[in-house]
Amino acid sequence: MVLVVETTQNLIEIRQNEKASIAFVPTMGNLHQGHLSLLREALTKFEVVYFSIFVNPKQFGPKEDFNRYPRTLVDDLNLIKSLDAEFTTKKIIVFAPKNPEEIYPPGFNHSISVLGDVSNILEGSIRHGHFDGVATVVHRLFELIKPQEAYFGLKDYQQFLVIKHMVKDLALPIIITGMPIIREDSGLALSSRNQYLSSEERTEALTLSKTIWRIEKIINRKKENLPKAQEEIINILKDEKWNYLEIRDADTLNQDLSQSKRVTLLAVYQLRSTRLLDNLQVTIS
Ligand code: AMP
């Protein structure tokens, strides 16, 4: 069963009457198989899954694509219903606020500030305030929905770590689960922003996944190969389309890898104004 809820008041009432344990999947809509993989996993484990569709103004900078971000609620609901047909005994509550005031009522003046390195580097250093906006909306949705478990894509790896830190620091009783990146057959990670690309740019975008897989091969799970990989990265970065391509500790995002057991390769490749994110994790010994 799929129930669509458009107001916070309605959401609170429905949630208050919910006895079962609850999973939650937050999204900004324009759904694709990446989003659905999170919903599928949640439905496999839980009787009731709350699924939010909200383009959160607080996580976009003034020059970013908030206004043109694709809003496709009718198509999104059809995709969710197609999954509902696979899970006939389960309940999906789609929270699609009809306007931003449902989330941030007039006079709302609270914000979560994410302090520390994980939020100020990489995406955080390019998109100032982005992770504060993400943490603020996720925290607000957590408060309203009170899930036992919430699902995030590893596609946004730094975001996943920021949310894990928030839950730990604020002692929120919520399990945060990261789900693998879903890709096209070509290797391109699915993203709502892929539709901004021309067909030539789509081909060019494959540089991103191909490159991180090449670096993964150089590392070959061995710590002693990291310097060779770093050297190769210096060469690759001569192409100015890279916003960054870095190897960091997979848990702390530190640059010092001397104690690391797992590293992450984090990359953003930019085609015109479209920033494409990708990453992978490698266990090293
Ligand atoms: P978004 O709507 O882009 O904010 O994404 C909502 C959730 O879906 C986030 O947790 C994303 O990391 C996740 N997600 C987006 N794209 C993918 C993908 N290709 N594979 C897996 N998860 C994804």
Side-chain angles (χ1 to χ4, degrees), residues 32 34-35 37-38 69 123 127 131 151-161 177-184 187-194 208 212 244 264-268 274-281:
H32 50 62
H35 301 111
S37 72
L38 311 190
Y69 197 86
E123 281 305 278
R127 304 183 69 186
F131 288 120
Y151 293 82
F152 291 83
L154 296 179
K155 160 84 171 30
D156 300 283
Y157 190 73
Q158 195 176 355
Q159 167 177 284
F160 167 71
L161 290 184
T177 299
M179 295 294 294
I181 298 176
I182 305 295
R183 299 174 181 278
E184 289 180 356
L188 180 65
L190 297 187
S191 164
S192 304
R193 290 186 168 106
N194 289 351
L208 180 54
I212 59 172
Y244 55 81
T264 180
L265 261 144
L266 295 163
V268 173
T274 306
R275 305 177 66 249
L276 300 168
L277 280 73
D278 208 338
N279 68 78
L280 56 80
Q281 288 71 52

Side-chain angles (χ1 to χ4, degrees), residues 133-281:
V134 170
T136 299
V137 77
V138 170
H139 186 266
R140 174 100 175 106
L141 291 166
F142 280 178
E143 282 292 309
L144 292 169
I145 293 167
K146 300 185 182 8
Q148 271 73 44
E149 187 160 353
Y151 293 82
F152 291 83
L154 296 179
K155 160 84 171 30
D156 300 283
Y157 190 73
Q158 195 176 355
Q159 167 177 284
F160 167 71
L161 290 184
V162 164
I163 298 299
K164 274 185 84 116
H165 273 242
M166 177 181 80
V167 163
K168 184 163 172 268
D169 288 353
L170 303 182
L172 305 178
I174 301 169
I175 297 166
I176 302 299
T177 299
M179 295 294 294
I181 298 176
I182 305 295
R183 299 174 181 278
E184 289 180 356
D185 291 343
S186 66
L188 180 65
L190 297 187
S191 164
S192 304
R193 290 186 168 106
N194 289 351
Q195 63 192 266
Y196 298 153
L197 302 173
S198 67
S199 60
E200 293 79 32
E201 285 168 340
R202 266 183 175 266
T203 310
E204 213 183 330
L206 302 185
T207 307
L208 180 54
S209 52
K210 281 187 183 148
T211 303
I212 59 172
W213 287 330
R214 183 150 61 88
I215 304 291
E216 182 188 28
K217 265 200 184 142
I218 296 173
I219 299 173
N220 195 21
R221 297 175 166 262
K222 295 194 181 80
K223 199 170 229 169
E224 68 260 29
N225 291 337
L226 287 173
K228 211 158 81 190
Q230 304 277 22
E231 257 174 52
E232 183 63 18
I233 285 175
I234 291 170
N235 265 326
I236 291 166
L237 287 177
K238 287 179 187 152
D239 172 357
E240 287 176 359
K241 293 191 178 106
W242 293 97
N243 281 189
Y244 55 81
L245 169 61
E246 293 197 28
I247 307 176
R248 300 257 180 169
D249 182 90
D251 298 315
T252 61
L253 298 188
N254 280 343
Q255 275 175 313
D256 176 3
L257 307 178
S258 55
Q259 305 302 317
S260 298
K261 297 196 163 39
R262 222 164 51 97
V263 296
T264 180
L265 261 144
L266 295 163
V268 173
Y269 197 65
Q270 182 163 347
L271 294 168
R272 281 183 298 138
S273 60
T274 306
R275 305 177 66 249
L276 300 168
L277 280 73
D278 208 338
N279 68 78
L280 56 80
Q281 288 71 52

